Amino acid sequence: MQWIAMITMLIDHIGAVFFPHVVELRIIGRIAFPIYAFAVYIGYKHTRNVQKYIWRLFWIAVISQVPFMAAFNHFSLNVVWTLWSALLVLLALDRLSSKLISIPIAIGAGWVMEWSHMDYGMYGLLLVLLFRYFKGPVLVMAHVVLNALYLLLHHSSLQMYSMLATMGIAIAQYYQAGFRLKGPRWIWRYFYPAHLAIIAVIRWI
């Protein structure tokens, strides 16, 4: 799954920077984010040291910020900040003494993510939370509702194609597939800033 996420993300970013009118590249790219959102939840669920996990995502977000802005030529916070924020929300929800304040915390975090212009913003947080609370057909339907809300707010149907990834994850869950990181971990961790830096250099040249 991580290879699918990295390759589809690369295709998406190449399309966004160099071929903005080729919508097929952006459609392929919609597959990537649900996999990353799911990976954050799975990583949080199975990590042996959540503090190290939080710091690792934080530093990847920091390292990626300048390449992100250079590649896309605009100022906003890259998607790793979104995943990092969602990770903090997951931790907060598990450590709350009262579940009554979980919704205000999630809403407040989502507002901060929107206000600070994190990539995907509140949508990204809600998608991570969907993977926390739902599985199978219910997960798929919840993502359909989330994408419908995105369509109403942003007037873009492109995000609907992200359902392909969520359906794949739901099917894998149904067959009780194990989700473990395979291959060199450094590729999974640093592909994001590395490919953005390469795209930025090519664009500059």
Side-chain angles (χ1 to χ4, degrees):
M1 287 181 65
Q2 63 265 31
W3 286 106
I4 294 174
M6 289 188 293
I7 292 170
T8 54
M9 178 178 63
L10 176 61
I11 292 171
D12 180 52
H13 291 170
I14 290 173
V17 175
F18 301 112
F19 308 101
H21 300 298
V22 183
V23 68
E24 289 80 7
L25 299 178
R26 308 308 311 281
I27 289 173
I28 293 171
R30 297 312 96 206
I31 295 173
F33 184 72
I35 298 176
Y36 279 104
F38 179 68
V40 163
Y41 166 66
I42 290 296
Y44 168 75
K45 184 178 178 180
H46 294 290
T47 185
R48 297 178 181 178
N49 190 323
V50 70
Q51 300 298 329
K52 286 185 178 180
Y53 189 27
I54 290 171
W55 279 108
R56 184 163 60 245
L57 269 187
F58 172 81
W59 286 115
I60 293 173
V62 171
I63 293 170
S64 302
Q65 189 56 39
V66 171
F68 174 79
M69 292 188 295
F72 294 104
N73 195 31
H74 65 78
F75 179 80
S76 60
L77 296 179
N78 68 73
V79 74
V80 185
W81 289 112
T82 305
L83 298 174
W84 176 75
S85 300
L87 180 59
L88 293 180
V89 171
L90 290 174
L91 181 62
L93 294 180
D94 279 343
R95 295 191 176 183
L96 288 174
S97 57
S98 172
K99 300 301 181 182
L100 294 176
I101 60 173
S102 60
I103 294 178
I105 285 180
I107 293 174
W111 180 84
V112 171
M113 294 164 75
E114 290 289 327
W115 174 80
S116 59
H117 300 289
M118 291 185 189
D119 201 9
Y120 282 100
M122 184 180 287
Y123 175 93
L125 170 62
L126 292 176
L127 186 55
V128 172
L129 293 178
L130 291 187
F131 288 121
R132 171 189 169 95
Y133 291 110
F134 303 114
K135 290 183 178 180
V138 179
L139 168 65
V140 174
M141 291 306 301
H143 195 182
V144 168
V145 173
L146 179 60
N147 281 346
L149 292 173
Y150 185 92
L151 174 61
L152 289 174
L153 293 174
H154 298 278
H155 307 289
S156 173
S157 61
L158 194 61
Q159 203 60 37
M160 285 295 181
Y161 293 96
S162 64
M163 292 302 309
L164 295 172
T166 301
M167 290 172 63
I169 292 169
I171 292 171
Q173 289 175 327
Y174 177 80
Y175 287 103
Q176 298 181 341
F179 297 96
R180 293 182 179 275
L181 189 65
K182 295 182 179 180
R185 291 181 180 272
W186 64 269
I187 295 178
W188 174 247
R189 294 173 183 174
Y190 300 110
F191 179 82
Y192 183 73
H195 92 278
L196 288 177
I198 293 171
I199 288 176
V201 169
I202 294 174
R203 181 178 185 176
W204 180 77
I205 293 174

